[in-house]
Amino acid sequence: MALQTDKHYRNQVMYSVFVRNHSKEGTFTGVRRDLDRIQSLGVDIIWLMPIHPLGEVARKGTLGSPYAIRDYRAVNPEYGTLEDFVALVEDIHSRGMKCIIDVVYNHTSPDSRLAQEHPEWFYHKPDGAFGNRIGDWTDIIDLDYSHRELWVYQIETLKQWARIVDGFRCDVAPLIPLEFWLEARRQVEKVRPGCIWLAESVEPEFIVENRARGMTALSDGEIFQAFDMAYDYDVHGFFTAYLSGKIPLSRYFEALNQQEAIYPANYVKLRFLENHDRPRIAGMIHDRRMLENWTAFLYFQKGMTLIYAGQEVADPHRPDLFDADPVCWAGGYHFSPLLRQLYWLKKDPLFTDSRYDLQALPWDIALVTHEKDDHKLVGLFSLRGEEATAEVDLPDGEYENLLGTKPVEVIAGQIFVPGKPVILRVNPADHGQTDAD
């Protein structure tokens, strides 16, 4: 892990915005008008998906993928001007939030500025033509980081943007040499002390496959040397396998618990139920109670929480990456009040540095604990949305449910879970008991 990574990132919430699809007009100004609402959800960092001009050659769809970039040092004129972008960032800062932007450094569009000016900085196929090593990414060509001049250009670009924004989300970061990221972090720190670094780390299968092809493919353990945060893709396959009924909940939790042992003590995972590359959670889970429980479980995990714009209204449709496809803000269920509750709970010091453990109980009740110095937070989440009685290692007595209006009781080591999230605080003074022993 980057030695200077702050564990307080575990107390924070990130909100992901695709400018093109966030508003009907798809502009920086459209996002600016929504900042008060976004802030009201409880958000610390806004991540803007790529803001740069897009290529036209081999373009996918009508407008093209935001990840097929033509010029790293300019803004997409469809979104507005550089002045419009700066005004958006200033408005984000004025509300006490930070802003990070996407860095797409593995590849560019085939008609990019760099491809025209420095074709030698790119990967070439045996016939000498531009190419990419991930076959279905047909709208991009790969950069070649064996050229140190490319490092200089890319880091200078990062420093340019670091004078405006607070950090970077780095697309497929594992495909780029670790030494580049370490050097970039060192140099950018001089321009933006405390710069935020988030890696889109990748699935284990993707790492193994690309290493077998002779490519750079960094593990999460390597990524954590240069980055503050990494994606949760190392366990995401277990999550989707559980949802599809292929494995029990206990197997997914085994993978989550293992993270506590295999990563450095200050590791920070970006916890998510959905993102722009994955299906909407409301498109996979249609029951409101289940969505409430999964949302509360998301915030209760150790790590930073990610909300993808539209998730708060349970929009089941994932916006298209290649065409205008605005979020349906009418949505389904409105979870904004729940997100506000969970945000303030997320600020509890126990989430910063705790002994963290997950257990799968019968009826797919998730029992999750954060514990330190005799203080404990206990979360019970009915991931099927059903009522059930669960066994807990807590003293009998009455406890306040931090997400409810009614207290809950532990009787003979059992607690009734009403199909909605239950979160309890256990303090050493009273242990939540109503009667003296």
Side-chain angles (χ1 to χ4, degrees):
M1 195 78 183
L3 295 177
Q4 60 268 57
T5 294
D6 191 339
K7 292 181 182 179
H8 286 92
Y9 284 133
R10 296 170 176 166
N11 299 89
Q12 297 188 7
V13 173
M14 182 179 291
Y15 188 89
S16 174
V17 171
F18 185 7
V19 175
R20 177 194 293 164
N21 288 331
H22 195 80
S23 62
K24 288 184 178 180
E25 64 267 44
T27 63
F28 296 130
T29 301
V31 178
R32 285 181 71 187
R33 286 200 298 268
D34 198 31
L35 288 179
D36 286 339
R37 185 196 64 83
I38 293 172
Q39 182 187 24
S40 75
L41 300 174
V43 172
D44 300 286
I45 302 168
I46 292 179
W47 153 30
L48 300 175
M49 288 168 56
I51 61 164
H52 308 298
L54 307 181
E56 297 181 8
V57 173
R59 173 176 283 189
K60 291 183 177 180
T62 304
L63 299 177
S65 168
Y67 292 91
I69 291 171
R70 192 172 74 244
D71 186 353
Y72 291 126
R73 296 186 175 182
V75 300
N76 189 339
E78 297 172 13
Y79 294 172
T81 64
L82 177 60
E83 290 73 22
D84 293 331
F85 171 68
V86 171
L88 169 58
V89 177
E90 288 177 346
D91 278 2
I92 291 170
H93 288 163
S94 72
R95 287 164 172 79
M97 299 181 288
K98 293 185 176 181
C99 178
I100 68 173
I101 60 172
D102 236 306
V103 170
V104 188
Y105 268 13
N106 177 66
H107 49 259
T108 74
S109 68
D111 54 343
S112 68
R113 176 181 172 184
L114 287 188
Q116 294 169 7
E117 296 179 359
H118 292 284
E120 72 277 12
W121 291 353
F122 285 79
Y123 163 76
H124 294 273
K125 295 185 291 187
D127 64 2
F130 289 125
N132 77 77
R133 290 159 289 187
I134 309 295
D136 59 346
W137 297 354
T138 57
D139 57 343
I140 57 92
I141 56 176
D142 285 356
L143 288 158
D144 179 356
Y145 279 82
S146 67
H147 298 275
R148 287 287 172 152
E149 298 85 358
L150 173 61
W151 290 35
V152 173
Y153 183 91
Q154 299 290 62
I155 292 173
E156 284 302 312
T157 303
L158 289 171
K159 289 160 70 175
Q160 169 189 308
W161 292 112
R163 295 182 176 93
I164 302 172
V165 301
D166 304 286
F168 306 102
R169 177 265 186 191
C170 301
D171 189 65
V172 286
L175 299 187
I176 297 166
L178 175 61
E179 293 76 17
F180 169 82
W181 292 123
L182 291 168
E183 180 63 17
R185 179 166 187 145
R186 186 185 68 80
Q187 292 198 36
V188 170
E189 189 70 13
K190 299 174 183 177
V191 174
R192 174 70 65 172
C195 182
I196 300 165
W197 293 88
L198 165 63
E200 185 200 20
S201 50
V202 296
E203 298 87 344
E205 299 81 6
F206 192 78
I207 295 172
V208 171
E209 177 184 347
N210 287 299
R211 284 180 174 176
R213 297 166 62 196
M215 294 172 55
T216 295
L218 304 176
S219 68
D220 281 19
E222 291 169 301
I223 281 291
F224 274 138
Q225 295 179 49
F227 287 84
D228 299 305
M229 293 164 282
Y231 268 42
D232 214 9
Y233 279 154
D234 56 320
V235 297
H236 191 70
F238 296 100
F239 167 68
T240 56
Y242 164 71
L243 286 184
S244 62
K246 295 178 181 177
I247 62 171
L249 182 64
S250 59
R251 183 66 190 94
Y252 174 38
F253 282 5
E254 285 174 14
L256 284 168
N257 281 326
Q258 189 178 36
Q259 290 178 332
E260 286 287 277
I262 64 176
Y263 297 132
N266 65 337
Y267 85 99
V268 183
K269 277 287 182 178
L270 186 70
R271 307 293 187 181
F272 58 86
L273 296 176
E274 61 182 61
N275 62 51
H276 69 269
D277 283 324
R278 294 292 180 267
R280 290 283 199 184
I281 192 65
M284 302 170 69
I285 297 174
H286 307 291
D287 180 80
R288 181 186 182 111
R289 278 195 171 186
M290 289 179 67
L291 283 173
E292 285 183 8
N293 278 276
W294 276 104
T295 301
F297 171 69
L298 171 68
Y299 275 74
F300 204 75
Q301 289 191 72
K302 179 184 279 189
M304 182 178 286
T305 300
L306 175 69
I307 298 296
Y308 181 37
Q311 184 176 340
E312 66 269 41
V313 295
D315 186 356
H317 172 68
R318 182 176 68 184
D320 194 300
L321 274 182
F322 313 125
D323 290 287
D325 189 13
V327 173
C328 179
W329 291 109
Y333 310 122
H334 285 260
F335 288 119
S336 298
L338 175 62
L339 301 192
R340 295 184 189 108
Q341 277 186 290
L342 292 167
Y343 178 73
W344 292 113
L345 178 65
K346 191 76 174 172
K347 298 302 181 185
D348 191 291
L350 267 181
F351 287 98
T352 312
D353 191 13
S354 66
R355 176 166 185 161
Y356 172 63
D357 182 72
L358 304 98
Q359 297 180 53
L361 303 183
W363 304 103
D364 284 6
I365 301 294
L367 173 61
V368 189
T369 58
H370 291 267
E371 188 171 8
K372 186 175 184 180
D373 299 333
D374 295 324
H375 291 269
K376 181 187 290 188
L377 283 171
V378 178
L380 293 122
F381 309 99
S382 177
L383 299 182
R384 296 185 194 173
E386 299 173 351
E387 298 180 350
T389 299
E391 292 189 6
V392 291
D393 184 19
L394 292 173
D396 287 2
E398 189 174 271
Y399 294 76
E400 177 189 3
N401 179 8
L402 300 181
L403 286 185
T405 57
K406 297 180 180 179
V408 295
E409 278 192 291
V410 175
I411 302 173
Q414 294 191 321
I415 188 170
F416 176 68
V417 181
K420 293 188 174 184
V422 173
I423 296 178
L424 313 175
R425 186 189 307 281
V426 182
N427 293 318
D430 54 22
H431 292 283
Q433 294 178 321
T434 56
D435 298 314
D437 290 333

